[in-house]
Amino acid sequence: MLVFSVIASALAPGLALLTYFYLKDRYDQEPLHMVIKVFMLGVLVVFPVMILQRGMILWLGDNPVVNSLFVSAGVEEFLKWFVMYHVIFNHTEFDEPYDGILYAVAISLGFATVENLLYAWYSQAAFGPMFLRALLPVSGHAMFGVIMGYYMGHARFTEGKRRRFFLVLSLFLPWMWHGLYDLILNLLTHTWVWFIVPLMVLLWYGGMGKISRANNRSPFRFIKREEEVNT
């Protein structure tokens, strides 16, 4: 019974957030099997991330700034971006800007869910710490995914130099925000909550705006409106 409780508490935040973002697709919802597939790719990303991070710590040492910006945020965001670009970017199902957000969030939440499960299993975490992780690390990964996917969606429907510019932003900005998040936790060991909470509020506020703007750029919004008028 205890094992089931630990697994359920670790899985619930990621699955709940994934459902939320799936339902936010206003005009042309993605095939559920594709979303699950991308979520599972995020699960698999955990293993190369762990190997690379272990190697980088042995090579670069245990400096908190280096660990925050490069070992943690850099490796995690780059590998999620790499999967997103090579598996999803040119996929036929990526046919509106919001799809970038949904798939990037799915990758991020797949990663965050395994991370959460490992934490719960090895630390035998109680309800309080798991609830805090749902509000912070899992939610944070979702927001980094929103940022990545928003600019990936821009790039998907842009040509030339602007496409490359948006692709760079889709990697650099989530890396920057993730790095800032980790820096706060690693450097401000006693006062981190006073900085993390405003940061999360800012990320969610900005994320909701990006979701709205991505949906408003959907080529299917006119079809949807015509159907509403005809009915």
Side-chain angles (χ1 to χ4, degrees):
M1 189 65 181
L2 178 60
V3 172
F4 175 79
S5 299
V6 169
I7 294 174
S9 64
L11 296 179
L15 296 178
L17 283 169
L18 184 60
T19 302
Y20 173 79
F21 285 102
Y22 181 75
L23 295 176
K24 277 288 184 180
D25 195 346
R26 193 184 304 167
Y27 297 109
D28 182 47
Q29 284 194 333
E30 297 305 287
L32 188 57
H33 71 88
M34 273 294 297
V35 178
I36 294 172
K37 173 186 175 182
V38 174
F39 180 86
M40 294 307 299
L41 288 173
V43 169
L44 296 175
V45 163
V46 170
F47 301 103
V49 164
M50 291 172 65
I51 294 169
L52 284 173
Q53 287 179 336
R54 179 60 179 165
M56 290 180 71
I57 289 172
L58 292 174
W59 176 40
L60 299 173
D62 201 24
N63 183 284
V65 175
V66 173
N67 281 354
S68 299
L69 295 177
F70 298 100
V71 178
S72 178
V75 170
E76 291 174 17
E77 297 305 324
F78 174 75
L79 285 181
K80 288 187 286 185
W81 181 91
F82 184 86
V83 172
M84 180 75 182
Y85 180 75
H86 287 281
V87 177
I88 301 300
F89 188 72
N90 292 310
H91 199 284
T92 54
E93 294 294 348
F94 192 168
D95 54 8
E96 60 175 340
Y98 183 78
D99 294 349
I101 291 178
L102 178 60
Y103 288 127
V105 166
I107 291 173
S108 296
L109 288 176
F111 177 89
T113 298
V114 175
E115 191 178 59
N116 212 32
L117 186 60
L118 292 173
Y119 173 85
W121 186 263
Y122 286 107
S123 65
Q124 298 180 344
F127 174 78
M130 293 308 297
F131 180 73
L132 189 62
R133 285 190 60 82
L135 292 178
L136 295 179
V138 178
S139 178
H141 275 291
M143 289 300 102
F144 307 143
V146 169
I147 297 169
M148 180 183 293
Y150 177 75
Y151 291 102
M152 192 75 77
H154 262 299
R156 179 72 170 86
F157 301 99
T158 308
E159 299 296 335
K161 292 182 179 179
R162 283 181 61 81
R163 169 173 284 191
R164 290 192 290 273
F165 172 70
F166 285 126
L167 282 173
V168 170
L169 287 183
S170 71
L171 174 59
F172 176 75
L173 289 179
W175 175 18
M176 181 195 75
W177 285 109
H178 192 163
L180 177 60
Y181 175 97
D182 286 348
L183 276 173
I184 291 171
L185 292 181
N186 289 331
L187 296 180
L188 306 175
T189 53
H190 300 294
T191 58
W192 60 268
V193 69
W194 298 105
F195 297 90
I196 283 292
V197 171
L199 177 64
M200 291 304 300
V201 171
L202 180 63
L203 287 172
W204 270 96
Y205 179 79
M208 293 303 100
K210 287 177 172 59
I211 288 170
S212 178
R213 291 193 294 274
N215 271 315
N216 288 338
R217 297 202 318 271
S218 172
F220 301 106
R221 68 188 186 280
F222 302 112
I223 299 173
K224 190 78 170 180
R225 287 171 186 170
E226 287 177 5
E227 290 175 351
E228 289 173 354
V229 170
N230 291 334
T231 54

